[in-house]
Amino acid sequence: MSPDVRAAGAVLWRGAGDAFEVALVHRPRYDDWSLPKGKVDPGETIAATAVREIREETGFRAVLGRYVAQTAYDVPARHGEGVLKKTVDYFSGEAVSGSFEPNDEVDELRWLDPSAAEQLLTRDTDVRVLREFCALPPSSTTVLLVRHAKAGKREDWTGDDDLRPLSDAGQRQAEALRALVPLFGADRVLSAPRLRCVQTVAGVADDLGVEVRHEHLLSEEGYWPDPVLGIARLLAIAGDGGTPLVSSQGGVIPDLISALADRDGIELTASRGGVVPSKKGSLWVLTFRPPSGSTGPELMSADYYPSALPSPAPSHS
């Protein structure tokens, strides 16, 4: 059953390494200290809600990372007519610019180390979210791995399959991804060479002012002759830093995700019966520990978004 009220927010953080701080806000209406959050607007994804609410409450622009946790609790309905079920989905959010000014909802913001923040938080549910956030390093590398959007049926296309374009539904999925992936700070775009893969992420590349770089090893025909090379290529892309957006195919993504999860001991909660999901137009947000010395990127978490359109919270590991 869907919750009556949905909200989203983030553990907003800044700093580097172990020397990081998190932001708590004081809401005079409730006289409490909490993590920044707010209600989902109609037609809005939870990721968009989190970024918008952070800006409105704290004045900071945040770049989202991994999904952290969901809380659920009862709230009174208006006019005293019973209670409603409310869920709040929290992300990791790095503060990249901005400054705080008191506003209608928040009159004070404090940057604190996690221990001090835990002592100040009013609600135990927020403490649990903070602890979940602190269980992994906040500094990380994010790879956004998307399966190409819908391109119609192969049997209905008479030309070269490499040139099969997105359908109208696929174009809508691509536009939704164009709105979603910037929230995670995508800064470069790579794609399997097939047209439908490139078209899925072309809008993001246009917005960034960059070219779509072709990655043959992440296409089905390039990956399967030697999957080890394809996995190594994705790890090399992660090791280059930044936040790459990579467009690939349904014949590649499940095996790639499974191999990384098995290698690094990550349980894929999105998996059902051992099958890793990869719907057309879906997105995996892969979070890696930054490379250190001779150690390459290590997968820390994997969040699955079955659609870039407004939907329930992602499955995460």
Side-chain angles (χ1 to χ4, degrees):
M1 180 181 293
S2 299
D4 300 300
V5 181
R6 297 191 64 205
V11 180
L12 184 65
W13 67 276
R14 67 183 184 185
D18 294 331
F20 67 91
E21 301 173 308
V22 299
L24 303 190
V25 296
H26 182 261
R27 303 180 299 173
R29 178 182 177 184
Y30 304 102
D31 190 23
D32 67 355
W33 286 95
S34 68
L35 301 169
K37 63 180 182 298
K39 293 179 182 178
V40 176
D41 283 344
E44 192 174 47
T45 64
I46 60 168
T49 299
V51 171
R52 175 181 56 76
E53 285 291 339
I54 289 167
R55 181 178 285 276
E56 290 177 0
E57 291 195 353
T58 73
F60 286 90
R61 183 174 75 86
V63 170
L64 300 183
R66 68 183 181 95
Y67 182 83
V68 175
Q70 182 184 86
T71 63
Y73 50 92
D74 293 334
V75 294
R78 290 186 177 182
H79 311 299
E81 298 174 354
V83 296
L84 302 175
K85 178 67 69 177
K86 180 176 182 179
T87 64
V88 187
D89 295 291
Y90 289 95
F91 298 80
S92 167
E94 182 179 9
V96 294
S97 64
S99 60
F100 173 72
E101 292 185 7
N103 53 72
D104 292 341
E105 295 184 73
V106 176
D107 62 354
E108 187 178 354
L109 179 147
R110 294 185 189 177
W111 288 101
L112 301 167
D113 66 73
S115 178
E118 186 172 318
Q119 294 298 315
L120 186 61
L121 282 168
T122 301
R123 290 177 175 78
D124 290 342
T125 51
D126 281 1
V127 172
R128 180 176 66 82
V129 173
L130 178 60
R131 289 177 178 174
E132 187 72 23
F133 168 80
C134 292
L136 296 174
S139 297
S140 60
T141 296
T142 300
V143 175
L144 306 171
L145 181 60
V146 61
R147 182 183 175 184
H148 70 76
K150 293 180 179 179
K153 295 181 179 179
R154 182 175 302 185
E155 56 267 28
D156 294 337
W157 175 254
T158 58
D160 184 343
D161 190 59
D162 284 359
L163 300 178
R164 180 156 50 98
L166 296 184
S167 63
D168 290 344
Q171 293 286 357
R172 291 191 292 271
Q173 288 178 315
E175 283 300 305
L177 284 164
R178 190 175 186 174
L180 178 65
V181 297
L183 304 175
F184 295 89
D187 57 14
R188 64 187 192 279
V189 182
L190 308 93
S191 174
R194 290 185 175 178
L195 178 61
R196 55 191 176 275
C197 296
V198 174
Q199 286 184 325
T200 298
V201 294
V204 178
D206 288 344
D207 293 341
L208 291 173
V210 300
E211 297 292 328
V212 178
R213 191 172 77 195
H214 288 183
E215 290 290 340
H216 176 70
L217 289 174
L218 298 178
S219 66
E220 289 176 352
E221 64 271 20
Y223 180 85
W224 280 109
D226 192 344
V228 172
L229 284 179
I231 294 165
R233 181 61 195 135
L234 187 77
L235 290 171
I237 291 168
D240 288 338
T243 305
L245 170 63
V246 181
S247 179
S248 186
Q249 297 176 261
V252 173
I253 293 172
D255 188 78
L256 186 58
I257 298 291
S258 294
L260 290 171
D262 289 346
R263 189 195 75 151
D264 296 329
I266 301 297
E267 182 182 355
L268 297 172
T269 57
S271 177
R272 294 292 182 270
V275 177
V276 175
S278 180
K279 293 176 60 177
K280 290 178 181 178
S282 63
L283 174 69
W284 279 94
V285 177
L286 306 177
T287 305
F288 294 85
R289 296 180 191 272
S292 176
S294 60
T295 303
E298 177 186 346
L299 186 66
M300 295 195 299
S301 68
D303 306 328
Y304 178 64
Y305 296 77
S307 171
L309 297 167
S311 63
S315 300
H316 70 107
S317 305

